[in-house]
Amino acid sequence: MGVKLEIFRMIIYLTFPVAMFWVSNQAEWFEDDVIQRKRELWPPEKIEEFKERLRKRREEKLLRDAQQNS
């Protein structure tokens, strides 16, 4: 009984991580849910607003640096 049990345990120990890795890498299974959740967390409008704020900050910093160097 001991050897059969050890073989069964070894099969489980090897199969479970490989199966979980395989499932987690099936992007098409999760793609729709991930995209929907991403849009709930970061709506496209807010992302555009954020990009605009970053662009303005960068421009202001460049202007300040240019004025200080002049």
Side-chain angles (χ1 to χ4, degrees), residues 10-26:
M10 187 57 70
I11 290 171
I12 295 297
Y13 290 155
L14 293 175
T15 305
F16 182 75
V18 171
M20 291 299 103
F21 181 77
W22 182 79
V23 167
S24 66
N25 283 305
Q26 300 304 311

Side-chain angles (χ1 to χ4, degrees), residues 25-69:
N25 283 305
Q26 300 304 311
E28 61 272 0
W29 292 2
F30 307 107
E31 190 172 13
D32 295 333
D33 296 329
V34 169
I35 290 172
Q36 179 183 356
R37 183 69 175 151
K38 180 181 170 186
R39 288 193 177 147
E40 287 174 5
L41 292 174
W42 302 289
E45 317 73 62
K46 291 200 177 203
I47 291 177
E48 289 303 318
E49 291 172 10
F50 180 70
K51 287 180 183 178
E52 185 66 26
R53 279 187 289 164
L54 286 178
R55 185 185 62 76
K56 285 182 182 178
R57 277 191 207 161
R58 191 176 310 123
E59 287 178 0
E60 289 172 359
K61 183 179 183 295
L62 288 172
L63 285 173
R64 271 185 276 131
D65 291 346
Q67 288 173 352
Q68 288 177 356
N69 291 333

